[in-house]
Amino acid sequence: MRIPRIAAVLIMGLFAAGCGSAAPTLTAGDPASSASAGASTVASGGASAQPSTSAAPSPSAMPSASPVPHGAPAKTFSVATRQITFSRGSRSLPTTIWYPVGSGSALPAGRFPVILFSHGLHGLPAYYQQIESRLAAAGFVVAGPAYPFTNANTKDFNPADMTNQPADASAVITGVLKLDTKAGDRFAGHLDTQHIGAAGHSAGGFTTAGLLADKRDTRIKGAVVIAGAAMGTFSGPKTPVLFVHGDADPTVPYSMGHNAYASLKWPKAFLTEVGQGHGEYLGAGAKGFDQMMRTTLDFFRWTLYNDAAAHGRLKADAVKSGTTKWESSL
């Protein structure tokens, strides 16, 4: 795929700014937002299985139907992680998965929606664990792949490869969903394979938008684009999208993110982080973090759990005078 000139300029800006370093990690004892207090990582398990996944879902590969959820879990779960390496052709996709647990490392009874979270340039899934762990504590299974040519540890860094990442993301989603029917796997019978979300920051935000555009994954039922914008033309089924952007972002201009929002004809919302740059608000305890986290949780509870009460809380949880602003047609 040839990268349009505007995308090439953007990639250079992202590369210069090092977009993946903007999100600090969660440290022990770090207070959670009131929307997800109590999240804690209680176990870490390496998975020996390394399933291969296809580049994009086909109708025959679509997951079987699962019961439609009615309201998100009322409790806050403890959180565990596991590591699985998926692949798309020759592209290795080591993935960290955050998931809710009941007793030990076992998932609680029931089925849980899956969210694919994409990191920024020079990033890693762990850089966003303060978000991923809170989502898992609220009842979501969160998969964060390390993309082969844009992650912090690659020796072959290539920012232009971000255009290949939506297909990678779809491959990881397919791989995770296959675990729902894999005998003996801890996820077997616990994944809600019909309610899938996507989120990401910076280049990961563009990757998320790409899942709704030229590399459309029709399984996505809700998406959160943080400090990103469109990657191609949005297409396919109308899907609710939440944009989050600092209005002083020096890396991905605020106007770029807001223009993507303004042009979108689907259900949508825009959370402006007032006076914020490219990702300072992603650190737990930072100005605007609680509003970003609560709104993201409400959004996914609504889109993936059909939780009407969460939809009703969106504006109140999003807005704090002098900190955030809210626009919505959800």
Side-chain angles (χ1 to χ4, degrees):
M1 168 186 274
R2 182 178 178 181
I3 303 172
R5 185 170 177 228
I6 187 171
V9 172
L10 173 63
I11 287 170
M12 292 304 295
L14 292 170
F15 176 56
C19 70
S21 62
T25 57
L26 180 69
T27 57
D30 199 357
S33 71
S34 61
S36 58
S40 60
T41 301
V42 299
S44 178
S48 57
Q50 297 188 0
S52 176
T53 60
S54 58
S58 64
S60 62
M62 293 299 286
S64 58
S66 63
V68 176
H70 296 284
K75 68 173 293 183
T76 299
F77 299 100
S78 293
V79 175
T81 62
R82 66 186 295 192
Q83 307 285 333
I84 304 179
T85 296
F86 300 101
S87 62
R88 182 171 72 89
S90 62
R91 297 169 67 86
S92 179
L93 299 164
T95 300
T96 304
I97 304 176
W98 287 259
Y99 62 97
V101 293
S103 175
S105 61
L107 276 80
R111 289 182 176 272
F112 300 90
V114 175
I115 298 172
L116 190 290
F117 196 97
S118 295
H119 64 75
L121 297 184
H122 292 299
L124 288 170
Y127 290 2
Y128 302 92
Q129 65 175 316
Q130 68 279 15
I131 298 172
E132 294 146 332
S133 63
R134 284 165 169 78
L135 288 169
F140 300 93
V141 174
V142 184
Y147 294 113
F149 298 104
T150 63
N151 76 76
N153 296 329
T154 184
K155 295 180 181 179
D156 300 306
F157 182 73
N158 178 12
D161 191 66
M162 63 186 278
T163 60
N164 293 312
Q165 291 179 179
D168 291 341
S170 285
V172 171
I173 291 170
T174 298
V176 172
L177 295 185
K178 285 181 178 179
L179 300 176
D180 185 62
T181 56
K182 183 178 180 182
D185 192 89
R186 72 189 76 172
F187 287 171
H190 288 290
L191 301 180
D192 182 349
T193 58
Q194 293 297 295
H195 293 88
I196 312 300
H201 169 243
S202 194
F206 283 90
T207 298
T208 300
L211 287 166
L212 305 177
D214 299 339
K215 301 293 178 68
R216 177 64 163 148
D217 190 324
T218 57
R219 297 171 296 184
I220 303 299
K221 299 299 190 293
V224 179
V225 176
I226 306 171
M231 181 188 282
T233 302
F234 291 106
S235 63
K238 292 182 178 180
T239 302
V241 182
L242 169 63
F243 294 84
V244 181
H245 218 117
D247 62 7
D249 191 330
T251 306
V252 180
Y254 178 75
S255 60
M256 182 175 286
H258 202 272
N259 286 344
Y261 165 78
S263 65
L264 185 62
K265 306 303 181 184
W266 302 345
K268 60 187 178 181
F270 198 100
L271 180 67
T272 297
E273 293 278 354
V274 177
Q276 296 271 15
H278 194 53
E280 302 93 321
Y281 50 88
L282 299 182
K287 176 184 176 183
F289 176 81
D290 281 356
Q291 288 68 42
M292 178 279 302
M293 194 70 247
R294 290 170 183 160
T295 305
T296 298
L297 283 166
D298 289 341
F299 178 82
F300 279 132
R301 283 171 169 146
W302 170 54
T303 55
L304 303 185
Y305 273 109
N306 294 334
D307 191 324
H311 179 270
R313 292 193 301 268
L314 275 164
K315 183 176 180 180
D317 284 346
V319 176
K320 182 178 180 180
S321 180
T323 300
T324 52
K325 296 188 296 185
W326 178 248
E327 303 167 64
S328 175
S329 64
L330 295 175

